[in-house]
Amino acid sequence: MRLGAVLSALRPALPLLLGLSLGCSLSLLRASWSHGAAEERCLAPGPPAPPARGAPPEAAEGRPGPGHEDFRPRIVPYYRDPNKPYKKVLRTRYIQTELGFHERLFVAVLTSKATLNTLAVAVNKTVAHHFPRLLYFTGLRSAKVPHGMVLVAHGDERPIWLMYETMNYIHQHFGSDYDWFYIMQDDTYAQAEQVKALVTHLSINQDVYLGRAEEFIGGDEQARYCHGGFGYLLSRSLLLKLHPHLDSCRNEILSVRPDEWLGRCIIDFLGITCVSQLQGQHYHTYELAKNTELEKEEEEDFQAALAVHPVSDMTLMYRLHKQFSRIQLDRVYQEIQDLQMQIRNLTALTPAGEAGVTWPVGINAPFLPKSRFEVISWDYFTEQHLFSCPDGSPKCELSGASKADVSEIIESAVEQLNRLYQPLLRFSKRQLLNGYRRFDPTRGMEYTLDLLLEAATQKGHSHVLAKRVSLVRPLSKVEIIPMPYVTEATRVQLVLPLTVQDLDFVANFLDMFAMNTLDTHDNALLTLLFIYHPYDAQRVGQVDVFAGVKAMVGELEKRYAEVKIPWISVKTEVPSQVKLMDIVSKKHPVDTLFFLASVWTEINMEFLNRCRMNTISNWQVFFPVHFQEFNPALVYRGEQTASSSTDFLRDGHFDRHSFAEACFYNSDYMTARTKLAADILDRDEVLENMELSSIISPASIPEIKAQM
């Protein structure tokens, strides 16, 4: 009984004990094996074992072979010769350059006098922008280069000489910058995305000569050259080894075709033949027959082809590009459907279940605002008008890109409805009743349409109905827009307009300016603009309402001897931003960077740098979205204010409708002001109620962008 009680008590812990015992036994057994193997290595006398057949001697010693020296990391110890003077080491701008990384793919297109302005232009318009770097090579002398093309003219139209000079040029200018070199003719259509995908799956550690392998006429049956009409791929290592032998190939090898000449050169001096398959990757090609109907071409060889040849004219090149683009688009749509199905299946297994599936499937969920200030408003539109206009007017005509956007989204909605309900119903649009759209930064442009449709059945019956549909135009690939180069060394000229109502708050502004700008020696200047009422201007000799401010400025100039804070006095009943800036603009050079501020603005170095970086002359103006605090007397009611750097966000909101602060160049203001003067024709009363944001905006200057 006692034994049974003990066993019953130990039964829950029995699996744990068995697991611990088994684990300890296996670990001891593994340790004994490792110890035995170490003893054998340490006690093995005599010379090391010979390397395997064909392996380099370095492999036997555990060192990388000659073909691996560029791909194994190694530590280079730092040593400084005490007998030599110290020299500062200049580091590269990018770590990629210092580590010796190369770009992926370089493309060379061989063209001629007869095809430079036809087929070469077609190549440039179809696939050139898909390759990272593409150059055209020709034998013409002083050829006229078509727009948007980079042409290298060798001055000799002989085919062999063109190939020889092209290989020399590629080695000299790009041999150390790229891993792969793709050579093609201008009568070849290449699928750029497929070629780029091919090189990502190939190892750069091998000498590669890849293309459509062809036999030499009357030559060795085992030797092959790559047909130039279908393009071929060369690795960087092969190009480096081939370059010393190009002169010998030019003098010793006779051939009519440049691709045969290059193939014979590679075979004779490097012993490498052309292959159509390497490392599990196939170089698919398709030879285009005459009078081929591309739209009906459904062969697998055609759809999988990386290169198509021969292309006889520009129209055929464009038709090929359209057909392959359609094929690629169908593949993408099919992949999207497969991914959406997988997302639905996996979401059903999550704790949220099917309710966790967002619409559209695979697109981010809509943005959820945390306060009323973050709510994204909808813009109402019809087929003729937009009721949220850029200039602030309540109604404007729908035109340009907005009209094309609305037309496309309506057409897409009807097409999707027909795809969903066919063949039972066929929809046709009669009218757009209501339209709403908004831009969600987390997913894209959202649309809600109320459509008046006519639904027709298979028997010919029709019925008019109203239907609401929702659509999303998701954000696609993000592109980097090229911008002019700007620095943080630009001097900022602050302009502070002051009225009598601002006198109680000027002291705080000047203290912040001195602490964050003058004490830090920031490259910023301040100009005060005193706005006198006509009554105060008449009594300025007896009582100057801005005398206290001028005394503060004098104290700052005494404290900072190198600082001068000028002021400008203006007499007006109705202060206008435009009229005030007219006065300030005439007193400063055209390259001055203005920062229009208010007494409520808190100046610091970070914001001044943002003003410098976001304002670009003749390109972009900057209207910062400032944080508007609530009245402290109402928020705290005598309590202590927020202490942390994040708590203050609860005491106000970002005001997107305020344009009190602005950064812009004087040259841009003068350009906008000149254009405005021609529009208003000396009607100065128009300027009294006009804000600065309406002067220097994209609507007034087409070349200028507004940054917020």
Side-chain angles (χ1 to χ4, degrees), residues 10-11 26 41 74 87 94 184 261 382 390 416 462 467 482 508 531 549 576 609 661 705:
L10 294 177
R11 181 173 298 173
L26 291 176
R41 287 196 300 269
R74 58 184 184 275
K87 185 178 180 181
Y94 301 104
M184 58 179 287
W261 174 85
T382 62
Q416 294 292 335
S462 62
K467 194 171 185 64
N508 181 60
I531 304 174
V549 180
S576 170
N609 287 334
E661 293 89 4
K705 297 191 300 181

Side-chain angles (χ1 to χ4, degrees), residues 16-38:
L16 177 62
L17 296 175
L18 290 176
L20 290 174
S21 302
L22 182 60
C24 293
S25 302
L26 291 176
S27 61
L28 291 174
L29 184 61
R30 183 177 181 276
S32 63
W33 285 349
S34 301
H35 182 67

Side-chain angles (χ1 to χ4, degrees), residues 90-103:
L90 297 178
R91 302 291 298 275
T92 57
R93 185 177 182 87
Y94 301 104
I95 191 173
Q96 179 178 2
T97 306
E98 186 167 318
L99 295 178
F101 290 169
H102 304 133
E103 297 294 336

Side-chain angles (χ1 to χ4, degrees), residues 8-309:
S8 61
L10 294 177
R11 181 173 298 173
L14 187 60
L16 177 62
L17 296 175
L18 290 176
L20 290 174
S21 302
L22 182 60
C24 293
S25 302
L26 291 176
S27 61
L28 291 174
L29 184 61
R30 183 177 181 276
S32 63
W33 285 349
S34 301
H35 182 67
E39 288 181 351
E40 291 177 3
R41 287 196 300 269
C42 295
L43 297 178
R53 182 179 180 181
E58 293 86 350
E61 301 177 10
R63 295 184 285 111
H68 295 264
E69 65 272 7
D70 291 340
F71 315 105
R72 290 290 185 88
R74 58 184 184 275
I75 299 176
V76 180
Y78 174 76
Y79 172 74
R80 177 184 175 187
D81 191 351
N83 300 324
K84 295 182 179 180
Y86 173 74
K87 185 178 180 181
K88 184 178 179 180
V89 179
L90 297 178
R91 302 291 298 275
T92 57
R93 185 177 182 87
Y94 301 104
I95 191 173
Q96 179 178 2
T97 306
E98 186 167 318
L99 295 178
F101 290 169
H102 304 133
E103 297 294 336
R104 178 76 65 180
L105 180 63
F106 173 85
V107 180
V109 180
L110 304 179
T111 183
S112 62
K113 178 180 179 180
T115 59
L116 176 60
N117 294 307
T118 55
L119 289 176
V121 173
V123 172
N124 191 63
K125 290 183 177 181
T126 53
V127 299
H129 56 282
H130 292 281
F131 288 116
R133 188 67 183 272
L134 185 143
L135 263 66
Y136 297 86
F137 295 87
T138 181
L140 295 175
R141 294 179 182 270
S142 63
K144 185 178 180 181
V145 183
H147 178 71
M149 297 172 57
V150 181
L151 184 68
V152 178
H154 296 309
D156 196 322
E157 298 186 28
R158 291 176 294 177
I160 304 301
W161 187 267
L162 175 61
M163 178 62 70
Y164 165 77
E165 291 291 344
T166 300
M167 299 303 296
N168 268 329
Y169 187 93
I170 293 175
H171 176 271
Q172 180 181 356
H173 294 85
F174 306 103
S176 59
D177 299 332
Y178 290 87
D179 286 329
W180 300 99
F181 302 90
Y182 187 65
I183 317 296
M184 58 179 287
Q185 300 173 181
D186 57 3
D187 61 346
T188 303
Y189 179 82
Q191 287 205 68
E193 300 300 330
Q194 301 289 347
V195 175
K196 291 191 293 184
L198 173 66
V199 298
T200 58
H201 291 83
L202 295 176
S203 173
I204 61 176
N205 194 23
Q206 293 186 11
D207 299 332
V208 176
Y209 182 33
L210 182 65
R212 175 164 173 167
E214 298 284 347
E215 295 183 2
F216 289 98
I217 300 177
D220 187 5
E221 295 182 357
Q222 300 297 328
R224 298 287 190 275
Y225 73 94
C226 289
H227 194 291
F230 297 95
Y232 44 89
L233 192 67
L234 304 178
S235 63
R236 175 175 173 267
S237 59
L238 184 140
L239 181 65
L240 297 179
K241 294 177 181 179
L242 178 65
H243 180 259
H245 307 291
L246 287 177
D247 291 335
S248 301
C249 294
R250 183 192 59 181
N251 298 327
E252 299 175 6
I253 300 177
L254 298 178
S255 180
V256 179
R257 294 172 54 94
D259 49 3
E260 288 188 7
W261 174 85
L262 181 63
R264 178 58 65 187
C265 181
I266 295 175
I267 293 172
D268 291 350
F269 289 92
L270 302 182
I272 300 174
T273 184
C274 176
V275 293
S276 300
Q277 178 181 355
L278 183 68
Q279 301 174 15
Q281 302 299 316
H282 295 266
Y283 190 86
H284 297 285
T285 61
Y286 186 82
E287 186 171 357
L288 199 62
K290 293 183 178 180
N291 302 325
T292 302
E293 296 185 11
L294 299 178
E295 291 74 12
K296 298 181 180 180
E297 193 65 57
E298 301 292 341
E299 295 184 19
E300 294 184 3
D301 295 341
F302 176 79
Q303 298 188 4
L306 276 75
V308 178
H309 175 79

Side-chain angles (χ1 to χ4, degrees), residues 358-360 363-367 438-446 471-476:
T358 60
W359 179 88
I363 305 297
N364 294 332
F367 172 73
R438 70 172 183 178
F439 178 73
D440 189 334
T442 62
R443 52 193 275 150
M445 186 70 77
E446 299 179 343
L471 302 95
V472 175
R473 190 192 296 272
L475 293 173
S476 58

